[in-house]
Every structure is written in structure tokens, then in C-alpha cells.
């Protein structure tokens, strides 16, 4: 029987660059884990592709999935749903492959409850001032929204305590390397590998 | 005030190659951690240098150190003492630098009790049969000693459960890389970095 895969969860405050880091990880290739595409009801941003960046669905379809228990996690942000379809995650883990999720902090909390042995990574801005600048530079929000987001970011950084690792997104390459290192290291955790050694000892 | 350094403990069954791996790590250089040299009463093997591989001391001197509470850990193997002088470890950690110990499993257990937030790495043979071969190849023991060592090795692998990571010593380079990865990753553990973020949040 194949060993069950490891669940890897990348999260962090809005605007910290989770999507960019996740894309860089998968653009590099050579990874032993599968990306689990999120489902959302928000409109695609420029360049985003359905079935690649997200599954873009209607509000009705998303709520149907929730009702039927088909979501591993979901959350509402600015009137839109974001979430992870459960089926694909379980199938992949059962086949022995690792699954990589990139999700919001509320979603990560739900996943932690359901799959506590996952590896939970929190992406942080180098400092909060820079986070503010990034949100402003994106230029899609007014000042009130920005301030609301800042308060939320402080709260989110406090939620870091529920994670296993904190990775600073100072440079994308550094964050990517750190995340890959962490994943390699987690595969060597005694709690994950001891069952194999127990089998080996059984032969003596 | 400098953040206290991290204690890294490499251990594993006798004959698994802890010393070789540790030497390779330090021969490569470029490490952000200090090696803590062990103290022993056993005779130097060919090529071993006092104050570099070990502090080679007399039984009387070693027992004086134990009596005065100067040892972080110590153990007796085949009528010889092995141990880690406490003073140097604490001074280095206090200065903010990481300390790397390469010690026997009994010693690692004592260190775990005294410094539970260290990173404990267990070096394992690719399989136990190969461990046996390594001990035979060393050619310094008779069959009875070898069998005794094998039994001990099985017990030691069971002690793996008290460690954080298990690193297979299939090839020295692989083991070295894995250990360096783990150390980098551990520096990103939320339990280790959260205090710094708390300080940052205090400025807002």
C-alpha cells in the first residue's frame, strides 16, 4: 500500500504574494507535489486562466458544493467565495502524492482542523509597511479599504502561531527556495517516517 | 539582545557514520553553526586530533567534570566516557550562534531533557544489514561484540521516536544536504521566529 501523501498548505495575509510565490514554485517544475486548484466566484484578473489559476464558478455552483460537503475549506472575501474542492485532494493523497494548497488564512484554519498533520506555511511580508505599499501599488482599492486590509493583516500575522513555518517573502526566489527546503525537511520528520522503520524492524 | 542560538543534535546508532557525516558538514564550511567538541576517555583512533575530533582526557579528569556539573551529557561505552562540556555550549548559544553536537543516543536523551527545544536528528543506516557490514568492515570487533552491537542498534532505532528528524546515511553527500536543509527549515519554525514578529507588531 502506498504511503499517504503529505498535505502542504501555503497561506498568509492578503497581498503578501502567495499566488506569485506559488506560481514560481510550479513554473520551476521538478516538484514531487501536485497543485490543488482553488475554486472561486470572483472574476478572473487579467491573465488568469480558468482551470489553471482557479476554477471560476458561479455563486450558485459554489454554494451547491458547500451544501453537498464537497469543500475541504472555503471562505468569503469581499463578497466572493474561495475554496478547495475536497475530492481531488483526497484522491491525490491516497495515491501517495503530496498536495500543495495556496489558500487564505480562514481556509487554512479549516484545513488544520480536518487534516492536522499537514505542513502549514505562513508567508509573511518583510514588514507591514511594505505590505501597505504593495496593496496601494496594486491600485485597485481606495484608502478605506487599504486601512481595513492593514488591520486585517495585523490580525492575520497573529494567526501565524497556528502554523508550522513562517517564510518571509522578501524576494520570490528566497521564498521559493525556503518552501522547497521545508517540504524536503518535513519528509524526514520522524512522525512521518517512523512507520516505515517499524516495518523494517519487523523483518528481524 | 541577541536571539539565543539553536542547538542541533546529530545522533544515531554506533557505526552509522555520525562522525563521517559531521566531518563532511564542517569540511564543506559555510555553516552558521559551531561544532561542540566532545570529551572522551577513549584512546584516539588513527588520524584523530586532540581538541579537534575530541578532547581526549583521563578517566579522573572526566569524572571530576561530572562531579562538578560541567557536563551537558555523558555516557559510558565499552568502558570509556564520552560527553559534552556544558560551558562552551551555553556561551555559544547565548551569543546567538547555533551549536552542533554529534553524540551517542544516550547522551542525546540527556540533552533532550535539558534543552527540549533543540533540533534532534537521528542518522540511520539504509538498512540494518548494511550496518552490520560496516561494523564488520571496521574490523576492530569480534563476532560476539558485533552481535551485541546489532541488538543495541535495533534498540537505538526504536529510540528514533524521541527525535525530530530521521536522516538516512545512504550517501554522505545526501545526508549532509538533508541535514543542512533541516537546519535551514528549522530556523523558519513559527515557534522559533514568532517572538521577532511580536516585536514588530509592537511598533504599530
Amino acid at each position: 500500500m502506498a504511503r499517504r501523501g503529505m498535505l502542504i498548505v501555503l497561506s498568509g495575509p492578503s497581498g503578501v504574494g502567495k499566488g506569485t510565490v506559488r506560481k514560481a514554485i510550479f513554473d520551476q517544475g521538478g516538484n514531487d507535489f501536485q497543485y490543488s486548484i482553488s475554486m472561486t466566484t470572483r472574476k478572473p484578473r487579467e491573465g488568469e486562466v480558468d482551470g489553471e489559476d482557479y476554477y471560476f464558478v458561479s455563486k450558485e455552483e459554489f454554494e451547491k458544493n458547500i451544501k453537498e460537503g464537497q469543500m475541504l475549506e472555503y471562505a468569503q472575501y469581499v463578497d466572493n467565495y474561495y475554496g478547495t474542492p475536497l475530492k481531488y485532494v483526497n484522491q491525490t493523497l491516497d495515491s501517495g502524492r503530496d498536495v500543495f494548497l495556496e489558500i487564505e488564512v480562514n481556509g487554512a484554519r479549516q484545513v488544520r482542523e480536518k487534516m492536522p498533520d499537514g505542513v502549514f506555511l505562513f508567508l509573511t511580508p518583510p514588514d507591514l509597511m511594505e505590505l501597505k505599499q504593495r496593496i496601494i501599488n496594486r491600485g485597485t482599492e481606495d484608502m478605506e479599504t487599504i486601512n481595513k486590509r492593514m488591520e486585517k493583516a495585523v490580525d492575520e500575522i497573529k494567526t501565524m502561531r497556528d502554523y508550522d513555518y513562517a517564510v518571509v517573502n522578501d524576494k520570490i526566489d528566497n521564498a521559493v527556495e525556503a518552501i522547497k527546503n521545508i517540504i524536503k525537511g518535513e519528509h524526514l520528520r520522524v512522525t512521518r517516517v517512523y512507520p516505515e522503520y517499524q516495518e523494517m524492524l519487523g523483518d528481524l
Side-chain angles (χ1 to χ4, degrees), chain A:
Chain A
M1 201 187 78
R3 179 154 59 117
R4 193 167 153 90
M6 186 168 81
L7 182 69
I8 304 147
V9 178
L10 177 65
S11 191
S14 306
V16 75
K18 295 187 288 294
T20 312
V21 168
R22 180 256 303 163
K23 259 186 205 156
I25 289 171
F26 285 92
D27 285 351
Q28 273 190 14
N31 303 311
D32 287 330
F33 42 84
Q34 293 280 132
Y35 176 56
S36 165
I37 299 161
S38 294
M39 190 178 277
T40 186
T41 58
R42 82 150 163 74
K43 298 278 172 292
R45 292 196 191 124
E46 208 184 314
E48 285 183 339
V49 178
D50 183 43
E52 207 169 282
D53 296 289
Y54 285 96
Y55 296 114
F56 294 102
V57 300
S58 69
K59 200 177 169 186
E60 291 68 34
E61 193 173 336
F62 203 108
E63 288 175 343
K64 184 168 170 276
N65 273 282
I66 296 172
K67 219 171 171 178
E68 292 175 353
Q70 299 294 318
M71 304 305 292
L72 172 59
E73 56 83 28
Y74 69 94
Q76 236 177 331
Y77 285 96
V78 202
D79 289 335
N80 280 308
Y81 285 115
Y82 295 77
T84 304
L86 184 63
K87 192 178 164 184
Y88 175 82
V89 170
N90 268 333
Q91 279 178 349
T92 311
L93 292 177
D94 285 344
S95 78
R97 275 181 76 77
D98 296 346
V99 174
F100 189 102
L101 300 184
E102 178 244 312
I103 54 179
E104 302 296 330
V105 290
N106 284 343
R109 198 178 299 124
Q110 295 168 55
V111 178
R112 182 62 118 177
E113 280 167 23
K114 289 178 191 158
M115 300 188 176
D117 61 343
V119 186
F120 289 75
L121 306 162
F122 194 85
L123 196 65
T124 72
D127 60 62
L128 284 175
M129 294 308 120
E130 189 173 327
L131 174 71
K132 192 168 183 172
Q133 206 51 51
R134 283 190 207 189
I135 294 171
I136 293 170
N137 286 347
R138 207 156 67 186
T140 50
E141 280 96 9
D142 58 28
M143 261 331 271
E144 198 189 333
T145 311
I146 288 168
N147 285 334
K148 247 171 98 179
R149 288 211 165 200
M150 280 299 294
E151 274 177 44
K152 197 163 142 251
V154 172
D155 288 342
E156 282 172 325
I157 282 183
K158 286 180 183 163
T159 70
M160 184 195 295
R161 282 169 297 187
D162 301 328
Y163 289 73
D164 300 305
Y165 296 94
V167 175
V168 179
N169 191 18
D170 52 352
K171 285 178 185 164
I172 293 171
D173 287 350
N174 293 351
V176 168
E177 200 203 329
I179 291 167
K180 290 189 169 188
N181 265 348
I182 288 168
I183 294 169
K184 275 187 215 161
E186 274 293 321
H187 276 286
L188 304 178
R189 284 234 142 221
V190 167
T191 47
R192 300 189 194 280
V193 300
Y194 194 73
E196 285 172 46
Y197 284 98
Q198 271 182 309
E199 261 179 56
M200 187 176 82
L201 287 175
D203 291 343
L204 286 172

